[in-house]
């Protein structure tokens, strides 16, 4: 048995936050692999399923991000699992948007959810870090991660979440390099497809309904005699 934990904050207020991309990854995996409905357990929401022949417990801690370790630790102790059975999905500001990296162990890197898990169970577990970009200044980090993904972010976020779900079996089998490659190719492929789209032709400008209703105008008839005719002939010459 393995435990996949996606980190985030509970409630509709936070649902589209960058900080909740771990929840989004867990939801994508549950949908793709037809997991059981979410139920309340271990101070979180859990769903059960099978990937690559291995039983998986998905968990979304409902303790709020800073106390994620309470929920994850309770689940590991209940199932009597070692840290090697745990994989955590979470947002990483030190990775560019759309980048994904996997590592085992290491520090919390300023992430309070990871710091909480480290404090409760130790740090020798696998981390799937999902890049959400850095705002550029330290003072803006909290606003950035607690801000919603922009509409334009869906261009890389949706294919990345799909790739995480589609290739979760690689995590189960320990093929971390293959998993990262699949994620990178999914995001790059989407970007290339957007660039290769043919430019849309601009539709001809529509006339107003008033102009459309007017009958076609006959060309103006020039005078053939009189002072005006004489002046025109002087200016343009006799074209006849």
């Amino acid at each position: 048995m393995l435990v996949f934990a996606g980190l985030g904050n509970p409630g509709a207020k936070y649902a589209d936050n960058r900080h909740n991309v771990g929840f989004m990854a867990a939801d994508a995996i549950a949908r793709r692999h037809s997991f059981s409905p979410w139920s309340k357990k271990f101070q979180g929401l859990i769903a059960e399923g099978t990937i690559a022949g291995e039983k998986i417990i998905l968990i979304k801690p409902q303790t709020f991000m800073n106390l994620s370790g309470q929920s994850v630790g309770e689940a590991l102790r209940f199932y009597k699992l070692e840290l090697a059975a745990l994989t955590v999905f979470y947002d990483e500001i030190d990775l560019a948007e759309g980048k994904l990296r996997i590592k085992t162990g290491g520090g919390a890197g300023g992430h309070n959810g990871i710091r909480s898990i480290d404090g409760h169970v130790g740090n020798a577990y696998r981390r799937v870090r999902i890049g959400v970009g850095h705002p550029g200044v330290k003072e803006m980090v909290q606003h950035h991660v607690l801000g919603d993904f922009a509409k334009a972010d869906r261009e890389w976020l949706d294919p990345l979440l799909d790739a995480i779900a589609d290739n979760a079996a690689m995590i189960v089998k320990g093929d971390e390099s293959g998993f990262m490659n699949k994620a990178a190719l999914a995001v790059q492929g989407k970007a290339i497809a957007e660039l290769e789209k043919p430019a849309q032709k601009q539709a001809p400008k529509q006339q107003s309904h008033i102009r459309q209703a007017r009958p076609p105008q006959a060309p103006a008839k020039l005078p053939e005699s009189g002072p005006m005719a004489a002046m025109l002939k002087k200016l343009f010459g006799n074209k006849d």
Side-chain angles (χ1 to χ4, degrees):
M1 178 187 293
L2 300 176
V3 173
F4 284 2
L7 303 190
N9 286 311
K13 175 182 176 181
Y14 304 101
D16 294 322
N17 285 183
R18 295 178 180 87
H19 220 21
N20 273 40
V21 76
F23 275 9
M24 297 175 193
D27 286 335
I29 292 170
R31 287 192 302 268
R32 172 65 179 81
H33 297 277
S34 302
F35 272 47
S36 68
W38 293 98
S39 60
K40 294 181 179 179
K41 198 172 184 180
F42 311 128
Q43 303 179 65
L45 295 175
I46 70 164
E48 300 181 9
T50 303
I51 300 176
E54 190 82 33
K55 183 174 181 179
I56 308 293
I57 302 294
L58 274 171
I59 183 167
K60 297 189 294 184
Q62 302 293 292
T63 52
F64 286 92
M65 182 67 82
N66 294 2
L67 300 176
S68 297
Q70 293 180 5
S71 177
V72 173
E74 190 174 329
L76 290 181
R77 288 189 295 272
F78 180 85
Y79 293 114
K80 297 180 174 59
L81 296 173
E82 300 293 332
L83 280 182
L86 174 63
T87 299
V88 180
F89 299 80
Y90 64 98
D91 58 299
E92 176 59 83
I93 60 172
D94 290 330
L95 285 176
E97 295 174 338
K99 299 292 184 182
L100 183 147
R101 295 289 183 272
I102 300 180
K103 70 173 184 177
T104 298
H111 195 286
N112 290 332
I114 296 300
R115 182 180 289 114
S116 176
I117 295 173
D118 289 354
H120 279 82
V121 302
N123 71 345
Y125 55 88
R126 183 163 45 195
R127 303 127 189 262
V128 178
R129 300 179 295 150
I130 303 168
V132 297
H134 196 289
V137 291
K138 185 178 180 181
E139 292 74 17
M140 290 295 292
V141 166
Q142 184 174 1
H143 176 77
H144 178 70
V145 297
L146 292 180
D148 288 353
F149 283 110
K151 185 177 180 180
D153 291 328
R154 307 307 303 197
E155 295 296 328
W156 61 263
L157 180 60
D158 289 346
L160 180 58
L161 292 174
D162 286 344
I164 289 171
D166 291 343
N167 300 289
M170 289 183 165
I171 297 179
V172 174
K173 296 175 181 178
D175 186 4
E176 298 177 358
S177 295
F179 180 80
M180 287 189 286
N181 286 338
K182 290 288 188 181
L185 287 172
V187 175
Q188 291 170 8
K190 176 68 174 178
I192 292 171
E194 289 297 319
L195 287 173
E196 290 180 345
K197 276 185 179 179
Q200 292 183 344
K201 293 182 180 179
Q202 191 171 3
K205 189 175 180 180
Q206 296 293 320
Q207 294 180 333
S208 71
H209 65 283
I210 296 174
R211 185 175 292 275
Q212 289 173 353
R214 289 176 181 167
Q217 299 289 322
K221 188 174 182 181
L222 298 177
E224 297 179 357
S225 61
M228 181 60 75
M231 184 180 70
L232 291 172
K233 285 182 180 180
K234 186 176 181 180
L235 286 172
F236 300 107
N238 192 347
K239 300 292 183 181
D240 297 336

